[in-house]
Protein backbone atom coordinates (compact mmCIF):
# COMPACT_ATOMS: atom_id res chain seq x y z
CA UNK A 1 0.00 0.00 0.00
CA UNK A 2 1.53 3.32 -0.95
CA UNK A 3 1.31 6.44 1.23
CA UNK A 4 -1.58 7.91 -0.74
CA UNK A 5 -3.63 4.73 -0.30
CA UNK A 6 -2.84 4.56 3.41
CA UNK A 7 -3.98 8.16 3.87
CA UNK A 8 -7.16 7.52 1.89
CA UNK A 9 -7.99 4.33 3.79
CA UNK A 10 -7.71 6.19 7.06
CA UNK A 11 -10.06 8.98 5.97
CA UNK A 12 -12.52 6.53 4.38
CA UNK A 13 -12.58 4.41 7.51
CA UNK A 14 -13.50 7.32 9.74
CA UNK A 15 -15.94 8.71 7.17
CA UNK A 16 -17.69 5.33 7.34
CA UNK A 17 -17.96 5.88 11.10
CA UNK A 18 -19.80 9.17 10.66
CA UNK A 19 -16.80 11.54 10.62
CA UNK A 20 -16.67 14.61 8.39
CA UNK A 21 -13.49 14.72 6.33
CA UNK A 22 -11.88 18.12 6.96
CA UNK A 23 -9.03 19.45 4.79
CA UNK A 24 -5.60 20.07 6.26
CA UNK A 25 -5.16 23.61 7.52
CA UNK A 26 -2.08 25.79 6.95
CA UNK A 27 1.23 25.30 8.79
CA UNK A 28 0.65 28.83 10.08
CA UNK A 29 -2.08 28.54 12.72
CA UNK A 30 -4.96 30.86 11.94
CA UNK A 31 -6.42 30.85 15.43
CA UNK A 32 -3.47 31.05 17.78
CA UNK A 33 -0.84 33.80 17.54
CA UNK A 34 1.17 32.23 20.37
CA UNK A 35 1.80 29.05 18.40
CA UNK A 36 4.66 29.13 15.89
CA UNK A 37 3.47 26.26 13.68
CA UNK A 38 0.64 23.79 13.32
CA UNK A 39 2.21 20.81 15.06
CA UNK A 40 -0.72 18.38 15.15
CA UNK A 41 -4.16 17.65 13.80
CA UNK A 42 -6.01 19.21 16.72
CA UNK A 43 -4.66 22.71 16.20
CA UNK A 44 -7.36 23.78 13.74
CA UNK A 45 -9.99 22.43 16.15
CA UNK A 46 -8.70 24.04 19.35
CA UNK A 47 -11.63 26.39 19.75
CA UNK A 48 -14.08 23.62 18.94
CA UNK A 49 -12.74 21.60 21.87
CA UNK A 50 -13.13 24.53 24.26
CA UNK A 51 -16.61 25.29 22.93
CA UNK A 52 -15.68 28.75 21.62
CA UNK A 53 -16.23 27.65 18.03
CA UNK A 54 -19.19 25.57 16.84
CA UNK A 55 -19.17 23.32 13.78
CA UNK A 56 -21.98 21.53 12.01
CA UNK A 57 -20.37 18.19 12.95
CA UNK A 58 -19.29 16.49 16.17
CA UNK A 59 -16.93 13.97 14.51
CA UNK A 60 -14.11 14.92 12.18
CA UNK A 61 -11.14 13.28 10.48
CA UNK A 62 -8.17 14.83 8.69
CA UNK A 63 -4.70 14.36 7.36
CA UNK A 64 -2.96 17.42 8.74
CA UNK A 65 0.35 18.76 7.52
CA UNK A 66 2.39 19.39 10.64
CA UNK A 67 5.70 20.98 11.46
CA UNK A 68 7.82 20.33 14.52
CA UNK A 69 10.78 22.58 14.02
CA UNK A 70 10.35 25.25 16.65
CA UNK A 71 8.43 26.21 19.75
CA UNK A 72 7.17 23.59 22.17
CA UNK A 73 7.55 20.71 19.72
CA UNK A 74 10.91 20.67 18.00
CA UNK A 75 12.21 17.56 16.27
CA UNK A 76 14.76 19.33 14.06
CA UNK A 77 17.61 17.90 16.09
CA UNK A 78 16.22 14.38 15.75
CA UNK A 79 16.22 14.44 11.95
CA UNK A 80 19.07 12.34 10.66
CA UNK A 81 19.44 10.68 14.05
CA UNK A 82 16.24 8.63 14.50
CA UNK A 83 14.28 6.48 12.05
CA UNK A 84 10.99 8.08 12.99
CA UNK A 85 11.26 11.86 13.32
CA UNK A 86 10.73 14.49 10.65
CA UNK A 87 10.38 18.23 10.82
CA UNK A 88 7.43 18.09 8.42
CA UNK A 89 5.03 15.15 8.49
CA UNK A 90 1.39 14.34 8.03
CA UNK A 91 -0.74 13.53 11.02
CA UNK A 92 -3.80 11.39 10.44
CA UNK A 93 -6.44 12.06 13.06
CA UNK A 94 -9.97 11.44 14.22
CA UNK A 95 -11.74 13.80 16.56
CA UNK A 96 -14.82 13.71 18.72
CA UNK A 97 -16.20 17.01 19.97
CA UNK A 98 -18.24 15.92 22.96
CA UNK A 99 -19.51 12.94 20.96
CA UNK A 100 -17.91 9.49 21.52
CA UNK A 101 -15.22 8.90 24.12
CA UNK A 102 -12.63 6.33 25.24
CA UNK A 103 -14.44 3.15 24.40
CA UNK A 104 -15.22 4.01 20.78
CA UNK A 105 -11.87 5.72 20.21
CA UNK A 106 -10.01 2.60 21.29
CA UNK A 107 -12.22 0.20 19.36
CA UNK A 108 -11.99 2.31 16.18
CA UNK A 109 -8.22 2.44 16.38
CA UNK A 110 -7.94 -1.29 16.89
CA UNK A 111 -10.38 -2.08 14.10
CA UNK A 112 -8.52 0.12 11.62
CA UNK A 113 -5.10 -1.27 12.54
CA UNK A 114 -5.99 -4.93 12.66
CA UNK A 115 -8.86 -5.30 10.18
CA UNK A 116 -8.28 -2.60 7.57
CA UNK A 117 -4.50 -2.34 7.69
CA UNK A 118 -4.29 -5.97 8.86
CA UNK A 119 -1.40 -5.53 11.26
CA UNK A 120 -0.44 -8.64 13.25
CA UNK A 121 -1.84 -8.08 16.74
CA UNK A 122 1.18 -9.63 18.46
CA UNK A 123 3.36 -6.77 17.20
CA UNK A 124 1.23 -4.11 18.85
CA UNK A 125 1.82 -2.70 22.32
CA UNK A 126 -0.29 -0.12 24.09
CA UNK A 127 0.30 2.32 26.88
CA UNK A 128 -2.24 3.99 29.14
CA UNK A 129 -1.91 6.71 31.74
CA UNK A 130 -0.91 5.16 35.07
CA UNK A 131 -4.18 6.04 36.78
CA UNK A 132 -6.48 5.39 33.83
CA UNK A 133 -8.06 2.08 34.83
CA UNK A 134 -10.93 2.68 32.45
CA UNK A 135 -8.67 2.69 29.36
CA UNK A 136 -6.66 -0.21 30.78
CA UNK A 137 -9.79 -2.31 31.15
CA UNK A 138 -11.05 -1.53 27.66
CA UNK A 139 -7.73 -2.64 26.16
CA UNK A 140 -7.39 -5.70 28.37
CA UNK A 141 -10.94 -6.98 28.66
CA UNK A 142 -12.80 -5.70 25.61
CA UNK A 143 -10.10 -5.60 22.94
CA UNK A 144 -8.17 -8.48 24.46
CA UNK A 145 -4.63 -7.13 24.32
CA UNK A 146 -2.52 -9.41 26.56
CA UNK A 147 -1.61 -7.57 29.76
CA UNK A 148 2.12 -8.16 29.11
CA UNK A 149 1.81 -5.69 26.26
CA UNK A 150 -0.15 -3.01 28.12
CA UNK A 151 2.08 -0.54 29.93
CA UNK A 152 0.99 2.05 32.46
CA UNK A 153 2.92 5.30 32.07
CA UNK A 154 2.93 8.13 34.60
CA UNK A 155 4.14 11.71 34.30
CA UNK A 156 7.58 11.52 32.86
CA UNK A 157 8.60 15.14 32.63
CA UNK A 158 12.03 15.96 31.33
CA UNK A 159 12.74 12.85 29.27
CA UNK A 160 13.74 13.67 25.71
CA UNK A 161 11.43 11.44 23.71
CA UNK A 162 9.98 9.40 26.52
CA UNK A 163 6.30 9.03 26.98
CA UNK A 164 4.28 11.24 29.22
CA UNK A 165 0.75 9.98 29.03
CA UNK A 166 -1.02 13.06 30.27
CA UNK A 167 -1.87 15.72 27.72
CA UNK A 168 -2.84 19.32 28.25
CA UNK A 169 -3.59 22.10 25.81
CA UNK A 170 -2.07 24.74 28.12
CA UNK A 171 -1.57 25.37 31.85
CA UNK A 172 -5.33 25.71 32.17
CA UNK A 173 -8.15 24.31 30.05
CA UNK A 174 -8.89 20.91 28.52
CA UNK A 175 -6.57 18.04 29.45
CA UNK A 176 -6.62 14.34 30.04
CA UNK A 177 -4.90 10.97 29.82
CA UNK A 178 -3.46 9.48 26.62
CA UNK A 179 -3.19 5.98 25.32
CA UNK A 180 -0.48 5.29 22.77
CA UNK A 181 -0.11 2.40 20.35
CA UNK A 182 3.35 1.10 19.51
CA UNK A 183 4.60 -1.27 16.83
CA UNK A 184 7.47 -3.67 17.51
CA UNK A 185 9.82 -3.55 14.52
CA UNK A 186 11.74 -6.62 15.66
CA UNK A 187 14.46 -7.87 17.96
CA UNK A 188 17.31 -6.97 15.59
CA UNK A 189 16.70 -3.26 16.23
CA UNK A 190 18.01 -1.70 19.46
CA UNK A 191 15.50 -0.26 21.91
CA UNK A 192 13.20 -1.39 24.70
CA UNK A 193 9.41 -1.42 25.08
CA UNK A 194 7.57 1.74 26.10
CA UNK A 195 8.20 2.68 29.70
CA UNK A 196 11.50 0.80 29.88
CA UNK A 197 14.83 2.61 30.41
CA UNK A 198 15.87 2.15 26.77
CA UNK A 199 12.54 3.07 25.18
CA UNK A 200 14.25 5.87 23.20
CA UNK A 201 15.47 3.35 20.65
CA UNK A 202 13.79 2.68 17.32
CA UNK A 203 12.55 -0.85 17.96
CA UNK A 204 9.17 -0.07 19.53
CA UNK A 205 7.86 2.87 17.57
CA UNK A 206 4.91 4.92 18.67
CA UNK A 207 2.46 5.02 15.80
CA UNK A 208 -0.73 6.46 17.26
CA UNK A 209 -1.62 8.65 20.18
CA UNK A 210 -5.18 8.74 21.51
CA UNK A 211 -5.90 11.71 23.76
CA UNK A 212 -8.93 11.62 26.01
CA UNK A 213 -9.92 15.17 26.91
CA UNK A 214 -11.62 14.45 30.14
CA UNK A 215 -10.96 17.38 32.48
CA UNK A 216 -10.82 21.13 32.60
CA UNK A 217 -7.95 22.44 34.71
CA UNK A 218 -8.76 25.68 36.56
CA UNK A 219 -6.40 28.51 37.61
CA UNK A 220 -5.67 26.75 40.90
CA UNK A 221 -4.65 23.61 39.01
CA UNK A 222 -7.74 21.65 40.09
CA UNK A 223 -9.18 19.17 37.58
CA UNK A 224 -12.93 19.29 36.95
CA UNK A 225 -14.56 16.57 34.82
CA UNK A 226 -15.79 17.93 31.50
CA UNK A 227 -19.53 17.44 31.03
CA UNK A 228 -18.91 16.26 27.47
CA UNK A 229 -15.46 14.73 27.13
CA UNK A 230 -13.74 14.74 23.72
CA UNK A 231 -11.21 12.75 21.75
CA UNK A 232 -8.17 13.89 19.76
CA UNK A 233 -5.95 11.35 18.05
CA UNK A 234 -2.85 11.53 15.89
CA UNK A 235 -1.05 8.93 13.83
CA UNK A 236 2.04 9.76 11.77
CA UNK A 237 1.37 8.83 8.14
CA UNK A 238 5.04 8.11 7.51
CA UNK A 239 5.28 5.84 10.57
CA UNK A 240 2.26 3.73 9.68
CA UNK A 241 3.49 3.64 6.08
CA UNK A 242 6.83 2.22 7.26
CA UNK A 243 4.97 -0.53 9.13
CA UNK A 244 2.70 -1.33 6.18
CA UNK A 245 5.51 -1.30 3.67
CA UNK A 246 7.55 -3.67 5.85
CA UNK A 247 10.43 -1.28 6.28
CA UNK A 248 11.87 -0.14 9.53
CA UNK A 249 12.68 3.49 8.91
CA UNK A 250 10.29 6.22 7.77
CA UNK A 251 12.99 7.19 5.30
CA UNK A 252 12.54 3.89 3.46
CA UNK A 253 8.88 4.43 2.55
CA UNK A 254 7.84 5.10 -1.06
CA UNK A 255 7.46 8.83 -0.66
CA UNK A 256 10.84 9.36 0.98
CA UNK A 257 12.65 7.03 -1.39
CA UNK A 258 11.52 9.21 -4.28
CA UNK A 259 12.90 12.30 -2.59
CA UNK A 260 16.11 10.62 -1.49
CA UNK A 261 16.78 9.51 -5.07
CA UNK A 262 16.15 13.05 -6.27
CA UNK A 263 18.52 14.44 -3.64
CA UNK A 264 21.14 11.88 -4.70
CA UNK A 265 20.74 12.93 -8.32
CA UNK A 266 21.19 16.62 -7.52
CA UNK A 267 24.16 16.11 -5.23
CA UNK A 268 25.75 13.32 -7.31
CA UNK A 269 25.83 11.10 -4.26
CA UNK A 270 26.00 7.41 -5.09
CA UNK A 271 25.25 6.08 -1.64
CA UNK A 272 21.48 6.15 -1.18
CA UNK A 273 21.90 5.32 2.51
CA UNK A 274 23.88 8.49 3.16
CA UNK A 275 22.43 10.36 6.10
CA UNK A 276 22.68 13.77 4.47
CA UNK A 277 20.24 12.62 1.78
CA UNK A 278 17.66 11.83 4.45
CA UNK A 279 18.09 15.25 5.98
CA UNK A 280 17.77 16.96 2.60
CA UNK A 281 14.65 14.90 1.78
CA UNK A 282 13.12 15.86 5.11
CA UNK A 283 14.01 19.52 4.73
CA UNK A 284 12.68 19.97 1.18
CA UNK A 285 9.25 18.96 2.42
CA UNK A 286 9.37 21.35 5.37
CA UNK A 287 10.72 24.26 3.35
CA UNK A 288 8.43 23.88 0.34
CA UNK A 289 5.32 23.64 2.50
CA UNK A 290 6.41 26.58 4.65
CA UNK A 291 6.76 28.74 1.53
CA UNK A 292 3.46 27.37 0.24
CA UNK A 293 1.84 28.57 3.46
CA UNK A 294 3.18 32.07 3.03
CA UNK A 295 6.42 32.03 5.05
CA UNK A 296 9.52 33.52 3.45
CA UNK A 297 13.08 33.26 4.75
CA UNK A 298 13.84 36.13 7.11
CA UNK A 299 15.66 37.28 10.21
CA UNK A 300 13.08 36.47 12.83
CA UNK A 301 10.14 34.32 13.87
CA UNK A 302 8.85 31.78 11.37
CA UNK A 303 10.97 33.23 8.59
CA UNK A 304 14.10 32.56 10.61
CA UNK A 305 13.09 28.97 11.24
CA UNK A 306 12.66 28.57 7.48
CA UNK A 307 16.03 30.19 6.81
CA UNK A 308 17.69 27.87 9.30
CA UNK A 309 16.19 24.75 7.75
CA UNK A 310 17.12 25.81 4.22
CA UNK A 311 20.69 26.54 5.30
CA UNK A 312 20.97 23.20 7.06
CA UNK A 313 19.88 21.46 3.84
CA UNK A 314 22.38 23.44 1.80
CA UNK A 315 25.12 22.57 4.24
CA UNK A 316 24.31 18.87 3.86
CA UNK A 317 24.55 19.28 0.08
CA UNK A 318 27.88 21.02 0.61
CA UNK A 319 29.04 18.14 2.76
CA UNK A 320 28.29 15.83 -0.16
CA UNK A 321 30.38 18.05 -2.40
CA UNK A 322 27.58 19.99 -4.09
CA UNK A 323 28.60 23.63 -3.96
CA UNK A 324 26.12 24.93 -6.54
CA UNK A 325 22.45 25.69 -5.82
CA UNK A 326 20.59 22.38 -5.96
CA UNK A 327 17.97 22.39 -3.25
CA UNK A 328 15.32 24.35 -5.15
CA UNK A 329 15.43 21.78 -7.95
CA UNK A 330 13.86 19.23 -5.61
CA UNK A 331 10.57 21.13 -5.61
CA UNK A 332 9.71 19.42 -8.91
CA UNK A 333 10.28 16.00 -7.40
CA UNK A 334 8.27 16.93 -4.34
CA UNK A 335 5.39 17.93 -6.59
CA UNK A 336 5.56 14.54 -8.25
CA UNK A 337 5.52 12.80 -4.89
CA UNK A 338 2.92 14.91 -3.11
CA UNK A 339 1.22 17.13 -5.71
CA UNK A 340 -1.79 14.89 -6.03
CA UNK A 341 -2.63 15.12 -2.34
CA UNK A 342 -1.74 18.82 -2.28
CA UNK A 343 -2.80 20.45 -5.56
CA UNK A 344 -1.72 23.90 -4.26
CA UNK A 345 1.83 22.64 -4.19
CA UNK A 346 1.80 22.05 -7.93
CA UNK A 347 0.10 25.40 -8.57
CA UNK A 348 2.64 27.31 -6.51
CA UNK A 349 5.62 25.35 -7.62
CA UNK A 350 7.31 28.17 -9.57
CA UNK A 351 7.04 30.60 -6.68
CA UNK A 352 8.33 28.07 -4.15
CA UNK A 353 11.27 27.24 -6.40
CA UNK A 354 12.14 30.92 -6.81
CA UNK A 355 12.02 31.64 -3.08
CA UNK A 356 14.26 28.69 -2.25
CA UNK A 357 16.65 29.51 -5.06
CA UNK A 358 17.09 33.06 -3.88
CA UNK A 359 17.93 31.93 -0.36
CA UNK A 360 20.36 29.36 -1.74
CA UNK A 361 22.12 31.97 -3.79
CA UNK A 362 22.34 34.28 -0.82
CA UNK A 363 23.88 31.66 1.45
CA UNK A 364 25.99 30.40 -1.44
CA UNK A 365 27.97 33.64 -1.25
CA UNK A 366 29.16 33.04 2.28
CA UNK A 367 29.06 29.33 3.03
CA UNK A 368 32.40 28.43 1.50
CA UNK A 369 34.41 31.00 3.39
CA UNK A 370 32.46 30.24 6.56
CA UNK A 371 33.17 26.53 6.25
CA UNK A 372 36.87 27.25 5.86
CA UNK A 373 36.90 29.32 9.02
CA UNK A 374 34.98 26.67 10.90
CA UNK A 375 37.18 23.86 9.63
CA UNK A 376 40.28 25.73 10.76
CA UNK A 377 38.80 26.42 14.20
CA UNK A 378 37.70 22.82 14.69
CA UNK A 379 41.09 21.40 13.87
CA UNK A 380 43.22 24.03 15.56
CA UNK A 381 44.28 21.55 18.22
CA UNK A 382 43.84 17.78 18.44
CA UNK A 383 41.18 16.51 20.85
CA UNK A 384 39.35 19.84 20.96
CA UNK A 385 35.85 19.37 22.40
CA UNK A 386 34.38 22.86 22.25
CA UNK A 387 34.23 25.46 19.53
CA UNK A 388 35.01 28.91 20.92
CA UNK A 389 32.12 31.37 21.10
CA UNK A 390 34.02 34.07 19.22
CA UNK A 391 34.24 31.92 16.08
CA UNK A 392 30.61 30.78 16.35
CA UNK A 393 29.60 34.43 16.60
CA UNK A 394 31.74 35.49 13.67
CA UNK A 395 30.15 32.74 11.56
CA UNK A 396 26.73 33.86 12.68
CA UNK A 397 27.29 37.55 12.23
CA UNK A 398 29.39 37.71 9.08
CA UNK A 399 28.76 34.43 7.25
CA UNK A 400 25.09 33.80 7.92
CA UNK A 401 25.61 30.60 9.93
CA UNK A 402 22.70 30.30 12.36
CA UNK A 403 23.94 29.03 15.71
CA UNK A 404 22.08 25.72 15.36
CA UNK A 405 23.76 25.11 12.00
CA UNK A 406 27.21 25.49 13.52
CA UNK A 407 26.11 23.34 16.45
CA UNK A 408 24.92 20.65 14.04
CA UNK A 409 28.33 20.52 12.35
CA UNK A 410 30.05 20.38 15.73
CA UNK A 411 27.71 17.62 16.88
CA UNK A 412 28.70 15.44 13.92
CA UNK A 413 32.21 15.55 15.32
CA UNK A 414 31.23 15.00 18.93
CA UNK A 415 31.87 18.64 19.76
CA UNK A 416 29.81 21.46 21.24
CA UNK A 417 29.84 25.25 21.19
CA UNK A 418 30.87 27.55 24.00
CA UNK A 419 27.48 29.22 24.17
CA UNK A 420 28.39 31.59 26.97
CA UNK A 421 31.26 32.80 24.79
CA UNK A 422 28.89 33.22 21.86
CA UNK A 423 26.48 35.28 23.96
CA UNK A 424 29.33 37.41 25.33
CA UNK A 425 30.55 38.11 21.79
CA UNK A 426 27.05 39.09 20.76
CA UNK A 427 26.70 41.39 23.77
CA UNK A 428 30.02 43.09 22.98
CA UNK A 429 28.90 43.67 19.42
CA UNK A 430 25.65 45.15 20.66
CA UNK A 431 27.46 47.50 23.02
CA UNK A 432 29.64 48.69 20.18
CA UNK A 433 26.64 49.26 17.94
CA UNK A 434 24.90 51.18 20.73
CA UNK A 435 27.94 53.33 21.41
CA UNK A 436 28.40 54.00 17.70
CA UNK A 437 24.80 54.98 17.20
CA UNK A 438 24.88 57.37 20.17
CA UNK A 439 28.00 59.03 18.72
CA UNK A 440 26.16 59.33 15.50
CA UNK A 441 23.24 60.99 17.20
CA UNK A 442 25.52 63.56 18.76
CA UNK A 443 26.85 64.15 15.29
CA UNK A 444 30.47 63.92 16.41
CA UNK A 445 31.43 60.65 14.73
CA UNK A 446 29.93 59.20 11.61
CA UNK A 447 29.21 55.50 12.23
CA UNK A 448 30.08 53.52 9.18
CA UNK A 449 29.90 50.01 10.66
CA UNK A 450 28.06 47.27 8.87
CA UNK A 451 24.45 46.93 9.81
CA UNK A 452 24.07 44.08 12.23
CA UNK A 453 20.85 42.26 12.61
CA UNK A 454 20.42 40.59 15.96
CA UNK A 455 16.71 40.09 15.71
CA UNK A 456 16.98 36.56 14.46
CA UNK A 457 18.77 35.29 17.48
CA UNK A 458 16.72 37.28 19.97
CA UNK A 459 13.42 36.06 18.64
CA UNK A 460 14.49 32.51 18.08
CA UNK A 461 12.15 30.57 20.30
CA UNK A 462 13.62 28.43 23.00
CA UNK A 463 17.16 28.60 21.75
CA UNK A 464 18.23 26.10 24.38
CA UNK A 465 16.05 23.36 22.93
CA UNK A 466 17.18 24.15 19.40
CA UNK A 467 20.67 23.20 20.46
P1 LIG B 1 7.60 10.62 19.74
O1 LIG B 1 7.44 10.20 21.19
O2 LIG B 1 7.95 9.48 18.85
O3 LIG B 1 8.48 11.81 19.59
P2 LIG B 1 5.22 12.13 20.13
O4 LIG B 1 4.67 11.45 21.34
O5 LIG B 1 5.99 13.37 20.34
O6 LIG B 1 6.13 11.09 19.26
P3 LIG B 1 2.57 12.94 19.40
O7 LIG B 1 2.68 14.34 19.84
O8 LIG B 1 1.84 11.99 20.27
O9 LIG B 1 4.06 12.40 19.08
O10 LIG B 1 1.98 12.92 17.90
C1 LIG B 1 1.08 11.94 17.41
C2 LIG B 1 1.75 11.04 16.37
O11 LIG B 1 2.39 11.80 15.35
C3 LIG B 1 2.84 10.14 16.92
O12 LIG B 1 2.28 9.00 17.51
C4 LIG B 1 3.64 9.83 15.67
O13 LIG B 1 3.04 8.78 14.92
C5 LIG B 1 3.53 11.11 14.87
N1 LIG B 1 4.72 11.97 15.04
C6 LIG B 1 5.03 12.75 16.09
N2 LIG B 1 6.17 13.44 15.90
C7 LIG B 1 6.60 13.09 14.67
C8 LIG B 1 7.72 13.48 13.87
N3 LIG B 1 8.61 14.38 14.31
N4 LIG B 1 7.86 12.93 12.65
C9 LIG B 1 6.96 12.02 12.19
N5 LIG B 1 5.89 11.61 12.89
C10 LIG B 1 5.69 12.15 14.11
MG1 LIG C 1 7.98 13.75 20.15
MG1 LIG D 1 5.72 9.90 22.43
MG1 LIG E 1 2.70 10.69 21.64
Amino acid sequence: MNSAEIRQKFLDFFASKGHTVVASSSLVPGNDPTLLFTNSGMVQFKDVFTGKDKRPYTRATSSQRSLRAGGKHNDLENVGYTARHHTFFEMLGNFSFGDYFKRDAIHYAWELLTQVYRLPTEKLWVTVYAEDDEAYDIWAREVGVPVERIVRIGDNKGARYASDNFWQMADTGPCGPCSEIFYDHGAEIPGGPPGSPDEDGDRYIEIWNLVFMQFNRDEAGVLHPLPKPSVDTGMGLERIAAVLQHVHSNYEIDLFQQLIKAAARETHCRDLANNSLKVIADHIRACAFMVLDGIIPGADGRGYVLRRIIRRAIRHGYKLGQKQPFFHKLVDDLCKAMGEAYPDLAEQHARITAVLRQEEERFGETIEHGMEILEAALTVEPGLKTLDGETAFKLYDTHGFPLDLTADICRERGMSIDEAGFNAAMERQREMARAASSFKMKGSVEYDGKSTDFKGYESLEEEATVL
Side-chain angles (χ1 to χ4, degrees):
M1 225 186 285
N2 65 33
S3 301
E5 289 162 347
I6 296 166
R7 185 195 293 114
Q8 199 54 49
K9 275 219 157 54
F10 184 97
L11 299 174
D12 289 348
F13 175 81
F14 282 104
S16 80
K17 306 283 183 196
H19 292 62
T20 299
V21 180
V22 178
S24 169
S25 63
S26 166
L27 289 177
V28 178
N31 56 356
D32 186 350
T34 66
L35 188 63
L36 206 50
F37 300 112
T38 297
N39 53 33
S40 64
M42 65 79 62
V43 168
Q44 68 165 322
F45 300 117
K46 254 184 172 179
D47 292 343
V48 189
F49 283 117
T50 58
K52 243 171 76 186
D53 184 2
K54 293 263 180 287
R55 300 278 168 99
Y57 44 79
T58 55
R59 300 176 171 213
T61 183
S62 66
S63 177
Q64 175 65 50
R65 57 182 182 273
S66 305
L67 191 75
R68 295 193 172 183
K72 190 173 153 222
H73 283 286
N74 190 347
D75 285 326
L76 183 56
E77 303 309 325
N78 295 331
V79 171
Y81 290 90
T82 75
R84 65 193 194 279
H85 287 103
H86 307 299
T87 52
F88 173 96
F89 62 100
E90 284 181 81
M91 198 186 284
L92 302 163
N94 58 291
F95 308 91
S96 154
F97 310 114
D99 188 325
Y100 61 87
F101 197 44
K102 268 178 219 183
R103 169 162 293 113
D104 287 328
I106 290 175
H107 282 286
Y108 287 156
W110 194 254
E111 186 184 334
L112 178 67
L113 292 178
T114 61
Q115 288 174 37
V116 178
Y117 291 145
R118 297 188 165 279
L119 297 187
T121 54
E122 68 279 7
K123 295 268 198 178
L124 296 170
W125 286 61
V126 297
T127 67
V128 297
Y129 183 55
E131 293 154 31
D132 192 356
D133 293 331
E134 193 188 348
Y136 187 96
D137 286 345
I138 296 170
W139 282 118
R141 299 204 186 140
E142 297 182 19
V143 177
V145 175
V147 292
E148 312 83 74
R149 294 206 301 274
I150 307 178
V151 185
R152 290 178 187 262
I153 306 268
D155 299 308
N156 200 351
K157 300 267 181 284
R160 190 170 165 87
Y161 317 109
S163 356
D164 165 5
N165 276 16
F166 198 87
W167 178 91
Q168 51 193 56
M169 198 181 279
D171 291 341
T172 59
C175 58
C178 310
S179 180
E180 297 188 321
I181 304 172
F182 287 70
Y183 184 82
D184 177 1
H185 277 268
E188 62 287 2
I189 297 150
S196 71
D198 53 347
E199 68 171 350
D200 281 359
D202 274 326
R203 173 172 171 185
Y204 298 85
I205 289 189
E206 175 190 330
I207 51 173
W208 203 346
N209 191 1
L210 317 179
V211 180
F212 309 125
M213 283 183 212
Q214 192 165 359
F215 306 107
N216 193 24
R217 195 194 293 274
D218 69 17
E219 302 285 335
V222 180
L223 298 179
H224 305 277
L226 286 169
K228 283 184 159 190
S230 292
V231 171
D232 153 32
T233 88
M235 171 155 70
L237 171 65
E238 301 78 2
R239 292 193 191 182
I240 183 69
V243 171
L244 291 171
Q245 295 175 12
H246 309 291
V247 293
H248 165 237
S249 160
N250 284 10
Y251 291 93
E252 292 170 49
I253 67 171
D254 55 338
L255 205 156
F256 264 100
Q257 280 301 302
Q258 268 176 272
L259 295 174
I260 284 172
K261 282 187 192 131
R265 183 192 71 226
E266 293 303 336
T267 57
H268 310 291
C269 173
R270 295 225 187 96
D271 173 17
L272 285 178
N274 189 299
N275 222 31
S276 290
L277 296 179
K278 294 181 193 159
V279 178
I280 293 168
D282 173 86
H283 288 5
I284 189 61
R285 301 208 311 161
C287 296
F289 277 95
M290 286 170 90
V291 177
L292 176 68
D293 285 338
I295 304 170
I296 51 164
D300 58 8
R302 298 184 178 112
Y304 194 55
V305 176
L306 174 57
R307 169 162 290 166
R308 284 167 39 224
I309 303 177
I310 297 173
R311 293 187 177 194
R312 286 170 79 124
I314 297 169
R315 202 279 301 183
H316 275 282
Y318 191 92
K319 191 177 168 195
L320 294 172
Q322 177 52 280
K323 299 189 177 174
Q324 300 305 315
F326 72 95
F327 190 53
H328 64 282
K329 295 183 187 160
L330 301 174
V331 175
D332 268 347
D333 301 277
L334 181 66
C335 287
K336 280 184 203 131
M338 297 186 73
E340 206 173 315
Y342 294 92
D344 299 6
L345 191 68
E347 276 164 33
Q348 297 270 332
H349 125 273
R351 186 178 70 84
I352 297 168
T353 306
V355 170
L356 296 184
R357 183 182 185 118
Q358 191 180 29
E359 180 68 11
E360 269 195 277
E361 283 167 354
R362 185 192 272 241
F363 191 43
E365 288 168 16
T366 58
I367 184 173
E368 183 141 21
H369 192 200
M371 286 304 293
E372 281 163 16
I373 292 171
L374 181 55
E375 201 57 55
L378 291 177
T379 48
V380 68
E381 58 181 84
L384 190 72
K385 280 276 160 244
T386 324
L387 175 73
D388 67 284
E390 235 7 281
T391 303
F393 180 69
K394 185 176 174 189
L395 289 169
Y396 163 78
D397 190 43
T398 320
H399 298 90
F401 279 45
L403 189 59
D404 68 294
L405 174 75
T406 307
D408 190 39
I409 302 168
C410 291
R411 181 181 175 190
E412 285 174 356
R413 302 171 189 213
M415 297 173 71
S416 58
I417 295 180
D418 171 15
E419 258 187 85
F422 176 89
N423 290 329
M426 163 114 58
E427 194 44 49
R428 257 197 315 280
Q429 169 87 296
R430 234 179 239 163
E431 285 299 328
M432 275 161 57
R434 240 178 257 139
S437 69
S438 75
F439 279 137
K440 187 179 171 186
M441 265 160 44
K442 284 183 208 141
S444 52
V445 176
E446 207 48 58
Y447 175 56
D448 65 349
K450 291 185 282 93
S451 77
T452 316
D453 188 358
F454 294 110
K455 261 165 85 196
Y457 185 68
E458 276 177 338
S459 59
L460 189 58
E461 277 206 353
E462 299 182 353
E463 183 60 21
T465 61
V466 165
L467 286 172

